[in-house]
Amino acid sequence: MFFHVVTTTECNLQCRYCFGETMDDFDEDFGDFELDYALPRKADYPVEALNGFCQKDPDCVLTFYGGEPLLNMDFVRQVMDQVSARHFMIQTNGQLLHRLESKYVNRFHTILVSIDGEEALTDHYRGKGTFRKVIDNLKLITANGFNGELIARVTVMEQTDIYKQIMWLLDNSEFSFSSVHWQLNAGFWGNDYGRRDFKRWSQESYIPGVDRLARFWADQMGQKGVVLRLYPLLGIANSMLLDKEPSLMRCGSGWINYAIQTDGYITPCPTMWGMKKYYLGHIAESHPLKLKKVFVQNTPCRDCDILGVCGGRCLYANITKRWNDQAYGEVCQTVRGLVNAVELELPRIRRLLEEGKICLSDFEFLKYNGCEIIP
Ligand code: SF4
Ligand code: SF4
């Protein structure tokens, strides 16, 4: 099982799609969901309780998460010192990585670091100077011996030219990432759709950009024999080539990937913090392998013809329905665009596999590592 360990709810950045949106959603009604707004700001349970919980599952993987998880660095150290886990991973904005000693950093199996592409765009979304600090810290941890997977985690919205930014992340003079993942800022907030230009951007820029990326991705397989680790493409192709079963929620939320709040209660996903109706137990008394499973139950996913490929995209979005049906449909068009883009390249990929230019193992990855696969 995979667990996001929320070390703190605090963050040291004020990104547009996160802090900015909470400001604009300030007076928003959260419908029927009873929310616990009084969660402790920092993890407030004994580390021994987390160890006791994790020890019941030999495949327990812990991913530090926030807010910004490194704002509670002492807790990260304590957990890594005292908890038996199969792997430790972290999702971080990268601003404080230089302060965590190498003996901890070098034990991370995977680091997912937030960066949105080039300097100007990253700083536009995340604040001036953010990009430079991330790059400096990544160079430092690499020089200090980190050799796990380093995933550039990109948040995408209307100011993003997806093709241009992902291409930059793949080939630039600043830093070489092991992998790239992107996620749309769509369906998380209640009030943003009306003031945004999501429909035009997704149809005119994003979907054509994903098409170009998929073509480039397959070109690289043919020309260089490499399968670039572009997670949304990799994850879908992995299923089409290797899986026989329909996909469940691809991020794993609600069935194999859960979140542990700062008070020790367990929810299906970190974004569902405080949603009391979805508390699935507490680390002090629950068994990690016996947690209740929560699947997508609402329309339109429930009746969707590509549910087995998409997996439902986002459990939180499906449950809370922050965006109306029309807006939700526009997000689904991006999913269809992505799936079509990969499907179009499949005959070429299969041919390259038969010719031995690439192999099936090139499409393997540690599933549920924090990459949602469906952005
Ligand atoms: S494409 Fe849309 S409706 Fe279909 S499963 Fe995915 S998120 Fe749900
Ligand atoms: S895709 Fe949705 S359900 Fe999955 S981890 Fe992200 S916010 Fe949670």
Side-chain angles (χ1 to χ4, degrees), residues 4 183 188 249 251 253 269-271 313-317 372:
H4 289 90
Q183 191 189 25
F188 291 116
M249 183 64 60
C251 59
S253 288
C269 135
T271 310
R313 181 176 173 265
C314 174
L315 185 64
Y316 170 81
E372 293 90 345

